[in-house]
């Protein structure tokens, strides 16, 4: 059982480049989300989805796009990378309902130069 | 809105010392409460949870009790080990309709245990 799989693990981008961070889960979870982790800031929610075809913004959505065409996949797109997007990104999934444990991927460490 | 405030570190302890990491929350209604742990270079993993008032979550010697009257969920362990060195996050999961299932995290507490 793979759980939540994120790719790539590391990435270096130049300012202005675009890229997609991939996230896939094999647990049939309805709820998926993307967080960024910065020193001293904890985890901040970027975007989330409560099911295929449904997405919504979190705390820090600017500069990022998401889509959810299948239950399994929830890619995060950086439209035009900026140094302020240097961070560690985590994808998570869970059953909906508010009481369920979230399962996290291993993270993507992104550096924008 | 919903939020979590946890004790900021770093916390440094000797092996076998007692650990407390404080966590308080603000929420409408009765959220579920969690402690997640992050080991170096890894993602977060669930340590323990409690879904209603007075529930006690426990795992690997760690405990936390959901206290509605003080809106707290403090993490404790009686005797820490070097292998407990990690970052600990307190979190709540909203049960409100508009934000159902959304997780709110504290800023994390770095724990280092010396032999």
């Amino acid at each position: 059982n793979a759980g939540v799989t994120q790719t790539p693990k590391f990435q270096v981008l130049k300012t202005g480049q675009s890229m997609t961070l991939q996230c896939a889960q094999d647990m049939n979870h309805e709820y998926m989300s993307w967080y960024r982790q910065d020193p001293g800031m904890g985890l901040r929610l970027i975007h989330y989805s409560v099911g295929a075809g449904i997405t919504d913004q979190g705390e820090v959505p600017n500069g990022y796009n998401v889509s959810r065409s299948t239950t399994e996949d929830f890619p995060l797109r950086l439209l035009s990378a900026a140094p302020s997007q240097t961070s560690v990104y985590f994808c998570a999934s869970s059953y909906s309902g508010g009481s369920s444990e979230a399962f996290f991927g291993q993270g993507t460490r992104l550096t924008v130069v | 809105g919903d939020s979590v405030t946890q004790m900021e570190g770093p916390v440094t302890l000797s092996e076998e010392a007692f650990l407390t990491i404080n966590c308080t929350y603000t929420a409408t209604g009765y959220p579920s409460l969690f402690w997640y742990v992050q080991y170096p270079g890894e993602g977060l993993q669930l340590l323990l949870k409690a879904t209603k008032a007075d529930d006690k979550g426990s795992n690997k010697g760690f405990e936390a009790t959901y206290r509605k009257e003080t809106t707290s969920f403090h993490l404790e362990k009686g005797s820490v080990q070097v292998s407990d060195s990690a970052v600990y996050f307190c979190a709540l999961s909203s049960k409100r309709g508009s934000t159902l299932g959304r997780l709110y995290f504290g800023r994390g507490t770095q724990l280092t245990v010396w032999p």
Side-chain angles (χ1 to χ4, degrees), chain A residues 21-38:
Chain A
L21 279 62
Q22 301 292 344
C23 176
Q25 53 93 7
D26 61 359
M27 296 172 281
N28 204 31
H29 287 164
E30 304 99 336
Y31 196 97
M32 295 186 74
S33 50
W34 277 101
Y35 296 87
R36 58 177 290 173
Q37 183 180 23
D38 302 293

Side-chain angles (χ1 to χ4, degrees), chain A residues 31 37 40 45 90 98-99 102, chain B residues 32 36 38 49 93 102 107:
Chain A
Y31 196 97
Q37 183 180 23
L45 182 65
F90 288 100
S99 302
Chain B
S32 294
Y36 284 87
Q38 183 181 31
K49 75 174 187 181
S93 179
R102 180 168 165 172
R107 294 194 172 190

Side-chain angles (χ1 to χ4, degrees), chain A residues 30-34 47-56 66-68 70 74 96:
Chain A
E30 304 99 336
Y31 196 97
M32 295 186 74
S33 50
W34 277 101
H47 285 285
Y48 64 99
S49 168
V50 299
I54 307 169
T55 63
D56 206 347
V66 291
S67 59
R68 183 98 179 267
T70 66
F74 190 45
S96 296

Side-chain angles (χ1 to χ4, degrees), chain B residues 61-95:
Chain B
F62 291 89
E63 292 183 340
T65 301
Y66 190 141
R67 301 279 187 208
K68 182 162 103 36
E69 62 277 11
T70 54
T71 61
S72 65
F73 193 55
H74 305 320
L75 182 68
E76 296 183 337
K77 186 174 185 182
S79 176
V80 294
Q81 306 300 312
V82 172
S83 56
D84 294 327
S85 298
V87 182
Y88 293 81
F89 291 93
C90 185
L92 72 80
S93 179
S94 172
K95 290 182 185 172

Side-chain angles (χ1 to χ4, degrees), chain A residues 31 35 37 40-43 45 48 50 57-59 88 90 94-107, chain B residues 8 32 34 36 38 41-46 49 51 87 89 93-95 98-103 105-108:
Chain A
Y31 196 97
Y35 296 87
Q37 183 180 23
M41 300 295 291
L43 278 78
L45 182 65
Y48 64 99
V50 299
Q57 296 181 351
E59 297 173 71
V88 181
F90 288 100
S94 65
Y95 290 111
S96 296
S99 302
S100 302
E101 168 189 359
F103 292 81
F104 285 80
Q106 294 275 60
Chain B
E8 296 195 18
S32 294
F34 304 84
Y36 284 87
Q38 183 181 31
E42 298 185 9
L44 280 71
Q45 55 187 272
L46 180 71
K49 75 174 187 181
T51 59
V87 182
F89 291 93
S93 179
S94 172
K95 290 182 185 172
S98 61
T99 56
L100 183 67
R102 180 168 165 172
L103 275 173
F105 285 92
R107 294 194 172 190

